[in-house]
């Protein structure tokens, strides 16, 4: 996430250097991103069968409740406390989970030299730190919820909640720190990029990794975890033989619309300021998403003879995923290219589960992992800058591409290994419903409810 300080000539700053305009925008963005998780519940719920829709939606709502509590207690501290306290992290992987435990330290104030009041631990750019916590919390919530699409209709709800709590602690928070908190995958002097290509006179990497809003932290992370769980949990009964058709396509379209709307908070809010870059990110996000939707529909039309509404919704998500890490580094034309390629890649990738035999129920791997990898690596090809080396297609050298490939691979390997370990921790507790319960419907057996009373 890039925090460029705006020109104070046109924004109202408080005595402690904070901007009320930037603060209002980041709070609005946090609400938009929080709304994305219920939107995801509609998207996933509509893609599920009628007897599984409530369980699918409950996995998203369960993540919202569980991860929010954990983030307040130790999640933010594990990700960013070193930036406030100056304490060293652990091997560039994790910050101290107890340094800001419960967040009360971020509410303390002190007397400034001019008699005004300021925060003891300061703000995050021009935004109070507690506001940045609110924004970051919503990212952690939806990352866990995204994984649930790979285990639809067969994973026990209690086990899902246990897995989510452990996973967000041991996988999401460390990766968040590594990328955005000054760790191994950041531009810091101790990061991988600095070790590959050296540092400048200020101690930052000469070639900085770019992940504006979560290509590695959110989408590669969730997509790789989804792949691991889909393989280890096993296939749904009848996979490859039964047509698992979406039970409510209007839900899918509604969910995609909410996701697109909320994603402006996701990407534009990551600028942390209401400035020109925020406007650039808005345009790039729209351009890539629209192009991905159209290219997905073209693939469907050529391959299947029909352009479908589910394909349109899925193309929207693929474009949003791909532009997430790149939205601050591309031109609008570059964004159109990135999105168009993402739509094609993801439309083709969703068929891989039948070829390789893993049951990624709602195509988390085909959309989030594939588009997330393309968006992260594509920066090395399409990044544009008038001041620094750009991507290969704009006359830059190979270094940015190498750095982007390396951070993507590290994210894949780290998440894959850690998710396998966590899966084997929770598996003995029983993580899959019985075949009988699966046939009856997981809504009824896990929640004692049905989505529709049609009698």
């Amino acid at each position: 996430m890039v925090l460029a300080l705006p020109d104070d000539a046109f924004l109202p700053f408080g005595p402690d250097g904070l901007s009320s305009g930037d603060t209002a925008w980041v709070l609005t963005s946090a609400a938009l991103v929080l709304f994305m998780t219920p939107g995801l519940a509609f998207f996933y719920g509509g893609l599920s069968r009628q007897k599984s829709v409530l369980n699918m939606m409950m996995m998203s709502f369960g993540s919202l409740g569980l991860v929010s509590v954990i983030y307040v207690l130790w999640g933010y501290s594990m990700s960013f406390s070193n930036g406030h306290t100056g304490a060293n992290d652990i091997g560039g992987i994790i910050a101290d989970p107890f340094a800001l435990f419960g967040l009360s330290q971020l509410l303390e104030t002190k007397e400034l030299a001019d008699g005004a009041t300021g925060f003891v631990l300061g703000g995050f750019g021009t935004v109070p730190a507690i506001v940045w916590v609110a924004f970051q919390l919503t990212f952690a919530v939806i990352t866990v919820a995204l994984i649930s699409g790979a285990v639809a209709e067969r994973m026990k709800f209690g086990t899902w909640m246990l897995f989510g709590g452990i996973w967000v602690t041991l996988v999401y928070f460390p990766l968040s720190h590594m990328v955005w908190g000054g760790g191994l995958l950041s531009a810091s002097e101790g990061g991988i990029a600095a070790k590959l290509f050296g540092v400048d006179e200020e101690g930052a990497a000469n070639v900085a990794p770019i992940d504006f809003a979560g290509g590695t932290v959110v989408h590669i992370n969730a997509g790789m975890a989804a792949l691991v769980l889909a393989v280890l949990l096993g296939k749904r009964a009848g996979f490859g033989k039964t047509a698992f058709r979406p039970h409510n396509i209007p839900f899918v379209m509604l969910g995609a619309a909410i996701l697109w709307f909320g994603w402006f908070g996701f990407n534009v809010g990551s600028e942390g300021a209401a400035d020109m870059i925020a406007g650039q990110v808005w345009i790039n996000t729209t351009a890539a998403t629209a192009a991905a939707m159209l290219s997905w529909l073209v693939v469907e039309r050529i391959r299947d003879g029909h352009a479908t509404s589910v394909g349109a919704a899925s193309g929207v998500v693929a474009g949003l995923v791909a532009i997430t890490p790149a939205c601050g580094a591309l031109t609008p034309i570059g964004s159109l290219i990135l999105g168009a390629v993402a739509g094609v890649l993801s439309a083709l990738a969703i068929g891989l589960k039948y070829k390789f035999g893993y049951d990624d129920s709602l195509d988390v791997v085909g959309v989030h992992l594939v588009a997330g990898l393309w968006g992260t690596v594509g920066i090395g090809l399409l990044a544009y800058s008038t001041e620094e080396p750009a991507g290969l297609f704009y006359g830059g050298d190979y270094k940015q591409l190498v750095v982007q490939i390396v951070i993507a691979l590290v994210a894949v390997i780290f998440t894959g290994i850690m998710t396998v370990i966590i899966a084997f921790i929770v598996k003995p507790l029983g993580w899959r419903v019985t075949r009988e319960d699966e046939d009856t419907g997981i809504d009824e057996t896990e929640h004692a409810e049905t989505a529709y009373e049609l009698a």
Side-chain angles (χ1 to χ4, degrees):
M1 294 187 178
V2 179
L3 282 177
L5 297 182
D7 184 352
D8 61 6
F10 60 89
L11 285 178
F13 283 83
D16 47 8
L18 302 178
S19 164
S20 57
D22 293 344
T23 299
W25 169 238
V26 174
L27 281 172
T28 301
S29 297
L32 287 170
V33 182
L34 190 69
F35 188 42
M36 288 172 66
T37 298
L40 182 71
F42 275 101
F43 185 78
Y44 279 173
L47 288 172
S48 302
R49 288 183 291 180
Q50 180 176 316
K51 61 183 180 180
S52 308
V53 54
L54 295 180
N55 176 259
M56 199 68 260
M57 298 183 81
M58 277 291 290
M59 285 184 163
S60 288
F61 276 85
S63 300
L64 205 164
L66 176 69
V67 177
S68 295
V69 170
I70 292 174
Y71 203 84
V72 167
L73 294 177
W74 64 79
Y76 184 80
S77 187
M78 286 183 71
S79 302
F80 298 106
S81 63
N82 60 309
H84 294 285
T85 65
N88 292 327
D89 58 10
I90 302 172
I93 296 175
I94 200 69
D96 185 352
F98 303 106
L100 297 177
F101 187 91
L103 304 177
S104 59
Q105 300 92 324
L106 297 181
L107 306 179
E108 298 173 9
T109 58
K110 63 180 177 181
E111 190 82 8
L112 300 178
D114 58 3
T117 300
F119 295 103
V120 172
L121 296 179
F124 205 104
T126 58
V127 174
I130 196 68
V131 173
W132 197 248
V133 174
F135 185 62
Q136 285 291 330
L137 178 152
T138 62
F139 279 66
V141 166
I142 197 166
T143 303
V144 175
L146 286 171
I147 302 169
S148 65
V151 298
E153 305 188 343
R154 61 199 189 280
M155 189 172 187
K156 292 181 178 180
F157 182 70
T159 307
W160 163 251
M161 295 290 283
L162 176 62
F163 170 84
I166 298 173
W167 188 89
V168 76
T169 299
L170 299 183
V171 182
Y172 180 85
F173 299 150
L175 196 58
S176 176
H177 175 74
M178 283 189 271
V179 175
W180 295 326
L184 284 176
L185 303 184
S186 71
S188 68
E189 186 174 3
I192 291 175
K195 298 182 187 303
L196 287 173
F197 299 116
V199 298
D200 58 24
E201 58 272 9
E202 297 179 355
N206 284 321
V207 183
I210 298 175
D211 186 356
F212 195 90
T216 51
V217 180
V218 178
H219 300 294
I220 293 176
N221 199 8
M224 189 62 199
L227 177 59
V228 170
L229 282 187
V231 171
L232 295 180
L233 191 61
K235 307 169 189 176
R236 287 169 291 178
F239 176 78
K241 301 176 182 178
T242 302
F244 295 100
R245 298 185 182 280
H247 93 283
N248 193 324
I249 294 177
F251 269 21
V252 178
M253 301 293 283
L254 174 63
I258 293 172
L259 288 170
W260 194 342
F261 176 68
W263 223 290
F264 291 114
F266 203 98
N267 285 359
V268 185
S270 294
E271 167 63 3
D275 59 11
M276 190 190 77
I277 294 176
Q280 174 189 351
V281 171
W282 197 102
I283 292 297
N284 287 348
T285 299
T286 301
T289 304
M293 178 180 66
L294 294 177
S295 66
W296 186 300
L297 293 177
V298 169
V299 171
E300 280 193 330
R301 186 70 174 85
I302 294 172
R303 182 186 60 196
D304 308 322
H306 303 282
T308 69
S309 51
V310 171
S314 300
V316 163
V317 176
L320 290 166
V321 169
I323 196 60
T324 291
C327 53
L330 271 57
T331 64
I333 294 295
S335 301
L336 288 171
I337 296 170
L338 188 87
V341 174
V344 172
L345 292 178
S346 291
L348 297 175
I350 61 172
L352 294 176
K353 62 184 180 183
Y354 300 109
K355 181 177 181 179
F356 294 104
Y358 61 88
D359 186 5
D360 173 24
S361 312
L362 307 183
D363 298 315
V364 185
V365 177
V367 175
H368 291 274
L369 180 57
V370 171
L373 285 170
W374 161 239
T376 300
V377 173
I379 293 169
L381 302 173
L382 295 166
Y384 178 81
S385 173
T386 58
E387 300 174 358
E388 301 173 355
L392 283 176
F393 291 174
Y394 288 97
D397 60 24
Y398 66 93
K399 294 179 181 177
Q400 188 70 59
L401 180 60
V402 170
V403 168
Q404 296 304 123
I405 292 173
V406 167
I407 65 172
L409 287 176
V410 171
V412 166
I413 294 169
F414 174 79
T415 301
I417 292 173
M418 292 301 297
T419 305
V420 168
I421 293 171
I422 296 168
F424 279 106
I425 290 174
V426 302
K427 183 177 181 180
L429 302 177
W431 64 357
R432 180 163 180 160
V433 299
T434 65
R435 172 63 185 271
E436 182 181 355
D437 288 348
E438 192 175 337
D439 290 338
T440 301
I442 198 168
D443 285 356
E444 189 173 338
T445 59
E446 284 289 296
H447 307 289
E449 295 175 305
T450 55
Y452 309 100
E453 295 295 340
L454 302 177

